[in-house]
Amino acid sequence: MVDTHSRRYLLLVRRMFWCGVLFFGLGLGAGWSARNHRATSWDCDPTCRPSTSTTWGAVADAALVSIVLGTALAVAAFLMIMLRRPRSLPHKDKL
């Protein structure tokens, strides 16, 4: 079993949480830039209509994946800290 009170375990969970926050923030930023007006242009062949390039579509999809991954990492790390096993009591020798 894993010692959930070891320093190494706590550092791993802390890193996992902050990576989740980072992925979530990057996903929000990329999603905002992909959905912003900078991502659309106007195509005027016979009629004018807004169009989005496939690159911006891929950026929006990657942003969604990053938001979901970041949320999952942060929630999993939070649960790993909150649902730790209690410390085991030292066994006393019976004579």
Side-chain angles (χ1 to χ4, degrees), residues 56-73:
W56 282 111
V59 168
D61 292 343
L64 180 64
V65 168
S66 179
I67 288 171
V68 169
L69 178 65
T71 303
L73 278 173

Side-chain angles (χ1 to χ4, degrees), residues 3-95:
D3 180 17
T4 58
H5 293 279
S6 70
R7 178 181 168 92
R8 191 173 182 187
Y9 178 85
L10 294 176
L11 288 175
L12 173 79
V13 172
R14 184 181 302 145
R15 181 175 292 157
M16 191 172 149
F17 177 78
W18 287 113
C19 284
V21 170
L22 178 69
F23 276 133
F24 184 77
L26 286 175
L28 282 180
W32 177 80
S33 66
R35 299 288 182 220
N36 201 0
H37 294 291
R38 288 180 267 160
T40 56
S41 61
W42 290 90
D43 285 339
C44 293
D45 20 14
T47 60
C48 289
R49 66 185 186 287
S51 68
T52 304
S53 69
T54 55
T55 305
W56 282 111
V59 168
D61 292 343
L64 180 64
V65 168
S66 179
I67 288 171
V68 169
L69 178 65
T71 303
L73 278 173
V75 167
F78 178 77
L79 290 175
M80 286 172 72
I81 286 295
M82 296 307 291
L83 301 177
R84 289 189 294 178
R85 288 182 288 127
R87 289 191 185 269
S88 59
L89 298 173
H91 298 288
K92 295 184 179 183
D93 295 331
K94 295 181 180 178
L95 295 176

